[in-house]
Amino acid sequence: MKAILVDDERLARMELRRLLAAHPEIEIAAEAANAEEAEILIGSLEPDVLFLDVQMPGRSGFDLLASLERAPHTIFVTAYDEYALRAFEFSAVDYLLKPVAPERLAAALVRLNAAGPQPETAATRIPATQQIFVRDGDRCWFVRLSDIALFESEGNYTRLYFASDRPLILRSLSYLEARLDPEIFFRASRRHIVNLRLIDSITPSVEGGYDLKLVTGQQVEMSRRRAQGFREKMSI
């Protein structure tokens, strides 16, 4: 895959080039120190992926992507984690924090390989409302909301259940509920929001509610009070 490194710090580009040397599937076609240089190179080289810093003199990495009619896959590489939420708008493959750990870069490249063809134009990128940024220790990545089977409240935090991952995010369940699609997600209890499309089985409980089993293996008890709305939603 043809790559362009975009970072105003020469040493940062050198370090990323060194790390990428362990991944021969990535061909570094060019480097750019700012958005203006990068835009010209993207137009002429048509890379498959950008390794893109956020803060640069002049236009930011976000400004660069917003100006492109057709953006390559993008892996953000930055020293700042506060930009991750905005990166939703650009359907980034991954978000790496400097200094980049070799194993995190390797994981990002696995995600890149699985991402398939290049994204569509900026107007058709996945909106922020369809994915969520997750940071778990040194690991940062994007998750489609439709892949999350269960949101479980843990105080001011919420634990997400998808595939084999169980990360915590600093968001309350109420905050998330207000932003989730009610056609897909249902508040099953005080502590749980379930993905209606990822319910494996529904069993009536002796208390008049339901016991739900999700495809990820978790079981959720639904009270009688919430069961009425659930029956209406599921037409049961």
Side-chain angles (χ1 to χ4, degrees):
M1 301 184 76
K2 189 187 301 182
I4 294 178
L5 313 186
V6 186
D7 196 310
D8 62 301
E9 298 180 359
R10 183 179 63 85
L11 292 179
R13 298 197 305 271
M14 290 176 59
E15 174 62 9
L16 188 54
R17 180 180 283 273
R18 184 187 69 81
L19 292 171
L20 286 169
H23 301 276
E25 71 275 17
I26 301 296
E27 173 198 350
I28 301 175
E31 298 182 12
N34 54 56
E36 286 69 27
E37 291 179 10
E39 188 168 4
I40 294 171
L41 290 170
I42 291 166
S44 61
L45 297 176
E46 298 185 347
D48 301 297
V49 58
L50 298 180
F51 291 88
L52 180 62
D53 194 11
V54 176
Q55 282 195 337
M56 296 181 291
R59 291 190 292 159
S60 71
F62 294 128
D63 294 333
L64 168 64
L65 292 180
S67 70
L68 299 176
E69 181 178 349
R70 184 177 180 85
H73 286 304
T74 302
I75 296 176
F76 284 99
V77 185
T78 176
Y80 307 95
D81 61 2
E82 63 263 33
Y83 298 113
L85 293 177
R86 188 178 174 193
F88 282 160
E89 302 171 11
F90 300 95
S91 191
V93 172
D94 213 332
Y95 192 97
L96 304 179
L97 293 177
K98 300 176 182 177
V100 178
E103 60 271 17
R104 277 292 293 119
L105 176 60
L109 296 181
V110 170
R111 291 176 58 83
L112 174 63
N113 187 58
Q118 288 175 284
E120 291 84 3
T121 61
T124 58
R125 294 187 187 116
I126 301 172
T129 53
Q130 294 182 20
Q131 56 183 346
I132 191 168
F133 176 76
V134 175
R135 182 178 181 183
D136 191 18
D138 292 333
R139 185 183 178 200
C140 303
W141 72 107
F142 294 89
V143 180
R144 287 179 180 266
L145 290 172
S146 59
D147 292 336
I148 301 174
L150 176 66
F151 297 82
E152 183 176 57
S153 175
E154 296 190 14
N156 291 327
Y157 291 79
T158 298
R159 188 171 297 280
L160 312 183
Y161 292 82
F162 57 94
S164 60
D165 293 292
R166 307 291 183 265
L168 272 175
I169 62 171
L170 183 55
R171 289 287 186 270
S172 70
L173 200 64
S174 296
Y175 174 93
L176 293 169
E177 182 182 20
R179 289 157 177 79
L180 293 171
D181 185 347
E183 294 302 312
I184 301 175
F185 297 96
F186 185 80
R187 184 71 176 259
S189 73
R190 182 178 59 84
R191 294 189 59 222
H192 299 105
I193 295 174
V194 299
N195 186 331
L196 297 173
R197 298 175 181 176
L198 297 180
I199 296 174
D200 185 52
S201 64
I202 305 170
T203 306
S205 66
V206 294
E207 292 84 8
Y210 292 104
D211 293 327
L212 308 179
K213 183 178 179 182
L214 305 175
V215 296
T216 46
Q218 287 69 46
Q219 297 193 26
V220 175
E221 295 181 7
M222 182 184 298
S223 68
R224 177 187 298 179
R225 182 172 65 87
R226 298 185 186 271
Q228 178 61 39
F230 180 73
R231 284 191 290 270
E232 295 173 359
K233 178 73 69 175
M234 300 296 287
S235 300
I236 57 177

